[in-house]
Amino acid sequence: MIVPEGILCSKSHEYLLEDGNSVYTVGLTDYAVEQLGDIVFVELPETGSEFSKGEVFATVESVKAASEIYMPVGGKIIEVNEKIVESPEILNESPFEEGWLVKIESPDAQAESGDLLEYSDYKEEIE
Amino acid sequence: MGNKTVLYNKHIELGAKMVEFGGWDMPVQYTSIIEEHKTVRNSAGVFDVSHMGQIFVSGKQAVDFLQSIVPQDIAKLMIQKAEYCQLTRDNGGLTDDLIIYHLDKELYLIIANAANVQKDFEWLTSKAKGFEIILENKSNEFSMIALQGPNAGKIVKKLGLKEEEQPHFFTIKTFSLNGIEGYIARTGYTGEDGFEFIIKNEYALKLWDMIFKEGEEFKIKPVGLGARDTLRLEAALMLYGNDLNEDITPIEAGLKWSIPADKKEDYTGKNVILSQIKNGVSKKLIGLEMTERAIPRHGYEIYFQGHKTGVVSSGGYSPTLDKNIAMGYVDTKDNITLDETIEIMVRNKLYKAKVVKRPFVAKRYKIN
């Protein structure tokens, strides 16, 4: 698995990846999907809806349990990954590429991402 | 940190994810719950179920004692036969649900749920006054390995037990193979044909390795508690703590089939149970299948025609059906019947479901 350069990770295991022009991709880290096990259900927000940092914006369910997913920074949902709604197993197979959750527009991301960790530090933190 | 079974290091070696369950550190999955589930349905899987309790009842009045504590007719249980039983309370609710094996003359083995072993033993001890029996909790001396799936019989044959030497469905035998001695029962918790080996701790590792050696050609896998739960849910088998508890009677739980109405002997809770058989119950267990996209889980509320009628007792994703299914208790007054539409409250939103027959996946026991 290739970990995209420059991703920032939250302690609740979401990642944030800058696409440019205040647009960011949000997903779940490889560690998160590994811990969840077989993912069988994903509920994503509607495009256009807005969430602040730390707010629940999606739900991911594995065979065992339902998990709430939190916004790593505040922003507006501009695109959701419909493919993972149809085939949730993509999240397990490719968390950083095919299995992203949403794209957000977040003008305040820079200011709000202070508590997010670089991938290497995140890895250290969870070990 | 919970208790560790004799096979604990084996699970770690196999890369299992461990969880605490009923006071024990148990493997919840090795690779993937769905993969392990399908292995059991298509070939065979191996479970460490050493967390389950073994309580032996022996003595001249063993049968009289058992008659007084479960609704089932233990006097009719022949030697080598097994029976699914409930440890009823005065209110008809359950201290536990059990399998009772009639091992030999005046000797019975009770298999109890891990989390309930101590409670059951205390309950049994309190009920044993005046009976000439010996009660022994030997849970710490015994391990239990389950081999479940359509290829289980072939693997047991390769282990050295010819078909005619294997126990029939819901019976138990002693066995001796390569220096390993113990009991082998044709019982399980998956809805598939299969066996449970009940052996002294010292034999567990050797038997585990033997099973994997003989099962290799069938591509068997170790299976964790995660798949054990999805398998038993598809077969609509009860899980104590979810579907059963001290306030739910076996009649409400749809277990009337397991209770003889004509048993003469008195047993704890008999009045309540007979009255429910005669007059009906106020809540009953149903099976349901989601028709809208949502996963029903334990504790979620069930609605019927706009009002709350009950609660989900067990639910989740069914790997065999690729559907979301559940069991739950509903108010009998609502007269909810097969195919009726109900709704499940999931994260403050109602999702439609349909009442379906239990089991969700047909059982495939080998009954000869």
Side-chain angles (χ1 to χ4, degrees), chain B residues 102-155:
Chain B
H102 192 175
L103 296 179
D104 208 341
K105 190 166 178 279
E106 296 172 3
L107 177 62
Y108 294 85
L109 166 61
I110 295 174
I111 301 292
N113 283 301
N116 291 340
V117 180
Q118 200 49 42
K119 177 180 89 161
D120 291 0
F121 192 69
E122 281 162 22
W123 176 263
L124 294 171
T125 305
S126 77
K127 299 282 177 188
K129 289 190 189 84
F131 286 99
E132 250 181 85
I133 57 158
I134 300 168
L135 271 178
E136 293 167 288
N137 178 4
K138 295 194 181 176
S139 304
N140 290 331
E141 294 170 35
F142 279 85
S143 294
M144 224 165 123
I145 296 172
L147 171 64
Q148 299 278 303
N151 285 328
K154 289 178 210 158
I155 295 161

Side-chain angles (χ1 to χ4, degrees), chain B residues 30-48:
Chain B
Y30 298 85
T31 51
S32 138
I33 293 176
I34 293 176
E35 196 181 290
E36 290 163 28
H37 180 108
K38 289 183 173 169
T39 301
V40 173
R41 290 270 181 258
N42 298 328
S43 180
V46 185
F47 305 71
D48 177 12

Side-chain angles (χ1 to χ4, degrees), chain A residues 33-44 59 61-66 68 85-86 88, chain B residues 17 28-29 32-35 225-226 229-230 293-295 297 300 316-317 324 346-347 349 351:
Chain A
V33 298
E34 217 271 314
Q35 286 302 306
L36 287 168
D38 295 321
I39 293 167
V40 293
F41 181 91
V42 183
E43 192 173 70
L44 296 175
T59 304
E61 298 198 40
S62 69
V63 177
K64 283 304 284 176
E68 294 179 324
V85 175
E86 281 309 306
Chain B
K17 217 173 271 172
V28 63
Q29 68 168 71
S32 138
I33 293 176
I34 293 176
E35 196 181 290
L225 292 182
D229 191 44
T230 51
R293 246 176 50 84
I295 301 182
R297 295 190 187 270
Y300 289 7
Y317 173 73
N324 298 317
V346 181
R347 294 181 286 276
K349 253 179 84 179
Y351 293 88

